[in-house]
């Protein structure tokens, strides 16, 4: 019996749920975006019920999580590691799957460090309450950590032949790389313009992913929410100056 | 052909490498801690060679990484996910392996947030250069995020029967939970004393892990490095006051 995938993520932002959406969209797999639906068994209350209630013996700590029949699994990279081999989103050899997961977890680290530029003190405070510290963190992210991460991925891409991060076909890692590059460009346009000459392969990978028919259709659909200042990456000009 | 595992991690600290060491030690699997050895093909230079050199098509971004013959994989949770089913460190059912990985990634998130209490601005600066911001971040970690994480793991443990985080036997996730609790107790003794009444099951799990014969032998050996102020968790009294 095939189950309809249920994706649980905060509505209103792309967030970490977007890594999962891009994978499902590219594979052409139908899914239900639970918190964006209304009615019983849907909406944000359903996320809270699964996280805080007694329904699950291993509840998720935080969204995104994926429901497959009675199985509910959390942690973005874990979800992708589960989905990918089932939908042709990763090469089948074990070494390639391990390397895909390794790269995905490194993308997750980059996303967290990027997020923390606007929340260096705590996720429990608003940006406005930690603006001063954010202005100290952001230049070190833009100037040191971001070039380190992107230089790494550019090097991997080069060694893989320059087209995809894992061999000869697009994998879920390429979709996630696209997402991070899109976010970075939104949040740090000045910094990214400065870095562009050093990451030609990544920028061309980004275009290649955006041009994939199902991804292009998704990006043009209302399912793709606009970037905004509640999301993981936010455009605060003060954090992208100089 | 069975290969001798090679663990690559910074010498001098427990760090994220410790999660892998505890798994290998508990399973009684021999391994070579490459950076702690001397001579050609060993030492910290070997870590740098694999990360920065041309030897690998998918190099690691950062330690720890594990060498198994010609395969080199990075990202702590990925390494454990690979090792665990091969050495009886996780139940064999797929759902249990996915949940183990989910919990491990959540432990990794907690470890990163804990580390960032003393490095809120950047890992590229010294603690002394971000002490003021650290004093703002630490109380929010101790007072809000830490109780949230530990309350979550306590709840999971309770629902699993109170003994192990995944069913009826000790898994690698329990070993990692032990490690995080030991670190937290070292870094935040006052905060942890205050939290103790709310996490009785976790504290008893910690003792249960420490009493496992191979873990006890490891902890008493010179292979277990002492806690110190270069490590992921550090004891700075200023970050544990009130």
């Amino acid at each position: 019996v095939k189950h309809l995938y249920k994706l649980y993520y905060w509505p209103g932002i792309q967030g970490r749920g977007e890594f999962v959406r891009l994978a499902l969209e590219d594979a052409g797999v139908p899914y239900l975006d639970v918190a964006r639906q209304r009615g019983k068994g849907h909406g944000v209350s359903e996320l809270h019920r699964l996280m805080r209630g007694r329904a699950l013996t291993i509840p998720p700590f935080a969204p995104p999580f994926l429901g497959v029949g009675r199985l509910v699994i959390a942690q973005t990279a874990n979800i992708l590691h589960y989905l990918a081999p089932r939908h042709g989103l990763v090469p089948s050899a074990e070494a390639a799957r391990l390397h895909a997961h390794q790269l995905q977890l490194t993308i997750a680290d980059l996303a967290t460090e990027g997020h923390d530029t606007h929340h260096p003190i705590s996720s429990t405070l608003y940006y406005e309450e930690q603006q001063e510290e954010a202005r100290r963190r952001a230049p070190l992210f833009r100037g040191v950590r971001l070039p380190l991460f992107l230089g790494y991925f550019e090097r991997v891409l080069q060694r893989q032949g320059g087209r995809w991060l894992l061999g000869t076909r697009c994998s879920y890692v390429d979709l996630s790389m696209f997402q991070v590059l899109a976010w970075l460009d939104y949040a740090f346009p000045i910094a990214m313009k400065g870095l562009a000459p050093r990451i030609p392969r990544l920028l061309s990978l980004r275009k290649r992913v955006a041009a994939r028919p199902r991804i292009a259709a998704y990006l043009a659909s209302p399912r793709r929410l606009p970037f905004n200042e509640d999301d993981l990456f936010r455009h605060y000009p003060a954090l992208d100056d100089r």
Side-chain angles (χ1 to χ4, degrees), chain A:
Chain A
V1 180
K2 289 261 176 183
H3 298 282
L4 177 68
Y5 291 122
K6 291 184 181 175
L7 174 64
Y8 298 84
Y9 195 70
W10 306 121
I13 60 169
Q14 297 175 9
R16 290 186 174 86
E18 200 68 8
F19 295 119
V20 182
R21 280 188 204 99
L22 287 171
L24 292 168
E25 295 279 350
D26 190 68
V29 180
Y31 63 98
L32 188 70
D33 210 326
V34 177
R36 292 191 192 169
Q37 314 292 319
R38 291 179 182 202
K40 194 170 151 54
H42 300 102
V44 174
S45 59
E46 186 65 8
L47 269 68
H48 288 295
R49 188 182 72 82
L50 289 178
M51 284 193 288
R52 306 264 168 247
R54 314 206 132 265
L56 303 172
T57 49
I58 311 267
F61 179 72
F65 39 100
L66 184 79
V68 190
R70 297 175 65 121
L71 177 69
V72 175
I73 53 169
Q75 285 282 355
T76 314
N78 191 33
I79 295 170
L80 291 166
H81 188 58
Y82 169 86
L83 286 174
R86 286 166 169 80
H87 300 288
L89 291 165
V90 69
S92 56
E94 191 191 19
R97 289 186 55 207
L98 291 164
H99 282 143
H101 194 44
Q102 167 184 327
L103 292 174
Q104 186 66 37
L105 287 166
T106 308
I107 289 174
D109 288 344
L110 165 56
T112 295
E113 288 197 25
H115 165 274
D116 287 0
T117 52
H118 54 78
H119 274 72
I121 298 302
S122 183
S123 55
T124 66
L125 301 178
Y126 289 107
Y127 165 62
E128 289 71 19
E129 300 173 282
Q130 49 197 312
Q131 218 167 341
E132 199 182 320
E133 293 89 348
R135 285 204 67 151
R136 209 179 155 211
R137 181 177 173 113
L140 290 159
F141 175 73
R142 293 186 331 250
V144 184
R145 297 295 292 174
L146 182 57
L148 198 66
F149 273 107
L150 294 186
Y152 167 76
F153 288 114
E154 178 76 11
R155 210 157 70 238
V156 170
L157 189 50
Q158 178 174 19
R159 289 186 194 178
Q160 292 287 308
R163 208 165 158 76
W164 305 111
L165 282 162
L166 281 159
T168 55
R169 286 180 55 198
C170 179
S171 76
Y172 72 94
V173 183
D174 300 299
L175 306 176
S176 292
M177 196 73 237
F178 157 83
Q179 177 63 23
V180 165
L181 290 169
W183 262 335
L184 286 165
D185 225 24
Y186 172 73
F188 306 107
I190 301 172
M192 286 301 281
K193 204 176 166 188
L195 283 171
R198 293 154 69 178
I199 53 167
R201 291 171 191 85
L202 286 177
L203 296 180
S204 117
L205 175 143
R206 183 187 162 184
K207 282 186 198 155
R208 211 173 295 126
V209 169
R212 290 171 70 78
R214 286 175 181 146
I215 295 295
Y218 169 66
L219 296 177
S221 80
R223 299 192 300 288
R224 172 74 167 187
L225 300 181
F227 298 113
N228 66 60
E229 278 54 69
D230 290 315
D231 210 331
L232 217 57
F233 283 82
R234 309 176 182 188
H235 181 52
Y236 294 130
L239 304 186
D240 187 37
D241 60 7
R242 266 157 300 153

